Amino acid sequence: MSSILTNNGAMVALQTLNSINSDLSKTQSMISTGKDVASAKDNSSVWAISKVMESDVAGFKAISDSLALGESTLAVASEAAETVTDLLTDIKEKVVSAQEENVDREKIQTDIDALIGQVKSVVGAAQFNGLSLVEGTDDVNVLSSLDRASDGTVTASDITVSRQDLSTSAGTYGSGTSLAANATASDTAVANTANTAVVTVGNTWAADDVATLSVAGVDVSFTATGTAVADVADGLAGVINGLGLEGITATGNGDGTLTISSTNAFEDIAVTTGETTAGDGDVLITALNGATGLSDTSGTIDERAESVAFSTSAAVKEGDGYKVTVGGSSYNYVAGKGESMEDVARGLKTAIDSAGLEDISTTVSKDADTGQWSLKVDNDGSSLAFSVTGNEGGEASGGLFGLDSIDVTTNAGADAALGNIETLINNSIDAAASFGSAQGRIETQSSFISNLTDALTSGIGSMVDADMEEASAKLQALQVQQQLGVQSLSIANQAPQTILSLFG
């Protein structure tokens, strides 16, 4: 049935043409924007996801800048630490040269002072954009990542870089909680008194009986010419003195005993006795280091130095300060972050050595069995008071504390400098190693962030970017469909006019 009021063909052709025009408009938009999803109306869920990811990409680009800044700052600090290590090695070479007495120590000291000044210059200049990692103790955080949880929560992650204080500051001793229980002095005074072992030749002896002694690893013997034990004891004393052992003397007491004395500052002396007799003669240690009533065949004469023994269980926190008093003066060291009792012991050694005390020498040792660290202080002069204490709440000493006080113009100063410069070199090496480790971590993270950013960008593109080959082909097809649609609508619009022929 034909109708002049309703043109169904035209309506269908118009709907088809509108659909083609809509698809054509969308395709043209894809081609002009390059995106399949250019706005929320195109695909709201995909658009929302892409926008979240785009914000993350923008954040990661900022993180890349942060990592680049951190990497540059670390590079400066690392170069400074390595340069300081080289300069300290040069100072060590000078210190070693000063161990000889027939050198011009004043000129060597001048060279050392110049190198110390250069160390300070390097440390002072080692900053990037105002930030120095070789002075102070506060950690520096470098923004390294944005972590998005499954619920959409975003948190920032940091790489913590530990400052390595290479300054020469002495720190500030605190007034907080007492740490006296963590350090124990072996005596209340330090003096040049020798430690001794009394050896007794006893019971029945006969001619040709042999008494033996081992002192500091050297074996000696004496053959009796008669029965008198006093002769044997005095004879052993004479043989020991004839050895010329450093710091060791022996005295026959005329009563069958001899006293072996040791003034060795930092060395224990092992003593072992023995005999070969026809009767019941014996050689025994009857007194040792002040303890009497003994009957031993072996023992050890203690070193002369007194010691400060540090706890094997207590932790060391930043700001923990320990103070050793020698005579009327006190010498302290304040620990920095991550330090140990070994660092405290070596810091106190440096503090005492820096004072240049006459007759006073120091060393640091570790007990092979217990792992306990000790600071040993020897006095080759008159007796001086000796004590140790400690407090929390101080300001840490610099990692090169004591460098300013290196003085090789005297024998004692040259000896002390050799041990102390080794400690300072180890501190600078540790600092350089720490910076190198942090550099490696930041470089790895920077590379990861770059790759992650590329991966996210690619992922976003796969969701929202248009397939241009497909769009081009679709555009041509739609243009043909549009032309056909227009023709179809034109034919449909002409259909009612044919009705006029029915009334002609």
Side-chain angles (χ1 to χ4, degrees):
M1 180 186 76
S2 297
S3 170
I4 62 172
L5 299 177
T6 303
N7 191 338
N8 291 319
M11 287 189 292
V12 171
L14 181 59
Q15 290 174 0
T16 301
L17 184 59
N18 286 339
S19 176
I20 293 171
N21 287 338
S22 176
D23 291 343
L24 185 60
S25 175
K26 183 177 180 180
T27 301
Q28 288 174 331
S29 176
M30 289 170 59
I31 292 173
S32 62
T33 63
K35 291 185 176 181
D36 186 25
V37 180
S39 63
K41 71 177 182 178
D42 296 330
N43 188 321
S44 60
S45 61
V46 171
W47 181 84
I49 293 172
S50 69
K51 287 303 177 182
V52 170
M53 294 177 67
E54 285 175 0
S55 70
D56 286 349
V57 168
F60 282 124
K61 289 180 179 178
I63 288 171
S64 294
D65 294 338
S66 173
L67 289 170
L69 181 61
E71 191 172 346
S72 298
T73 306
L74 268 170
V76 171
S78 181
E79 180 63 29
E82 292 177 12
T83 301
V84 167
T85 300
D86 292 338
L87 291 170
L88 292 176
T89 301
D90 292 341
I91 293 175
K92 178 181 177 179
E93 182 179 349
K94 303 295 183 183
V95 170
V96 171
S97 298
Q99 302 303 305
E100 293 288 341
E101 295 186 14
N102 62 340
V103 295
D104 190 338
R105 286 178 170 167
E106 294 293 342
K107 290 183 179 178
I108 292 176
Q109 184 63 45
T110 299
D111 291 341
I112 290 175
D113 290 341
L115 289 168
I116 290 173
Q118 185 60 38
V119 169
K120 291 183 176 181
S121 176
V122 169
V123 172
Q127 55 83 27
F128 188 86
N129 194 32
L131 177 62
S132 174
L133 295 178
V134 294
E135 292 186 282
T137 58
D138 294 336
D139 291 340
V140 175
N141 293 323
V142 178
L143 182 63
S144 62
S145 182
L146 290 177
D147 303 328
R148 183 178 295 278
S150 57
D151 61 358
T153 303
V154 178
T155 56
S157 296
D158 298 316
I159 291 177
T160 300
V161 178
S162 297
R163 271 192 172 98
Q164 304 295 319
D165 192 348
L166 294 180
S167 71
T168 60
S169 65
T172 303
Y173 188 76
S175 57
T177 303
S178 174
L179 299 171
N182 296 341
T184 305
S186 60
D187 204 340
T188 58
V190 57
N192 63 355
T193 305
N195 288 319
T196 62
V198 176
V199 177
T200 300
V201 180
N203 295 326
T204 304
W205 285 72
D208 296 328
D209 287 353
V210 179
T212 60
L213 270 177
S214 176
V215 180
V218 179
D219 296 329
V220 299
S221 64
F222 182 81
T223 302
T225 58
T227 61
V229 292
D231 292 342
V232 176
D234 293 347
L236 283 172
V239 174
I240 292 172
N241 289 331
L243 296 174
L245 299 175
E246 184 176 358
I248 298 174
T249 58
T251 304
N253 301 317
D255 58 357
T257 66
L258 69 148
T259 301
I260 303 172
S261 302
S262 172
T263 57
N264 282 280
F266 305 116
E267 182 182 4
D268 292 336
I269 302 300
V271 177
T272 304
T273 66
E275 73 285 322
T276 303
T277 65
D280 60 355
D282 55 30
V283 182
L284 298 173
I285 300 171
T286 55
L288 184 65
N289 302 317
T292 59
L294 308 177
S295 58
D296 299 332
T297 58
S298 63
T300 301
I301 303 175
D302 291 340
E303 60 192 0
R304 183 176 67 181
E306 300 298 339
S307 65
V308 174
F310 295 95
S311 171
T312 57
S313 59
V316 178
K317 305 183 299 297
E318 181 180 358
D320 285 356
Y322 290 86
K323 180 185 296 184
V324 172
T325 299
V326 181
S329 300
S330 296
Y331 311 93
N332 60 66
Y333 177 76
V334 185
K337 186 175 298 182
E339 293 194 345
S340 64
M341 286 301 183
E342 177 187 3
D343 298 307
V344 171
R346 296 193 183 281
L348 286 170
K349 168 181 164 52
T350 299
I352 296 172
D353 291 345
S354 297
L357 300 177
E358 187 176 359
D359 297 324
I360 299 296
S361 56
T362 62
T363 191
V364 172
S365 66
K366 180 182 181 182
D367 189 284
D369 297 324
T370 65
Q372 184 174 50
W373 285 97
S374 297
L375 166 68
K376 297 180 180 181
V377 179
D378 182 65
N379 178 14
D380 199 32
S382 58
S383 179
L384 295 172
F386 185 59
S387 63
V388 62
T389 189
N391 282 338
E392 294 182 352
E395 182 179 335
S397 302
L400 300 185
F401 165 62
L403 180 63
D404 288 336
S405 303
I406 288 180
D407 183 356
V408 299
T409 57
T410 64
N411 287 337
D415 290 342
L418 188 58
N420 293 335
I421 192 63
E422 198 68 35
T423 297
L424 300 182
I425 289 174
N426 287 335
N427 288 346
S428 65
I429 289 174
D430 289 344
S434 177
F435 290 141
S437 177
Q439 274 185 292
R441 185 178 176 190
I442 287 181
E443 287 177 2
T444 299
Q445 184 68 10
S446 181
S447 177
F448 167 72
I449 291 299
S450 177
N451 293 337
L452 179 61
T453 301
D454 290 344
L456 289 174
T457 302
S458 177
I460 294 170
S462 66
M463 288 191 297
V464 302
D465 289 354
D467 184 337
M468 299 306 290
E469 291 83 356
E470 180 183 356
S472 175
K474 190 173 183 179
L475 176 64
Q476 295 183 27
L478 287 171
Q479 287 174 336
V480 171
Q481 291 177 35
Q482 185 184 46
Q483 294 175 8
L484 293 174
V486 169
Q487 292 183 2
S488 176
L489 180 60
S490 175
I491 293 171
N493 285 333
Q494 292 175 1
Q497 295 181 9
T498 60
I499 297 176
L500 292 175
S501 63
L502 298 176
F503 298 95

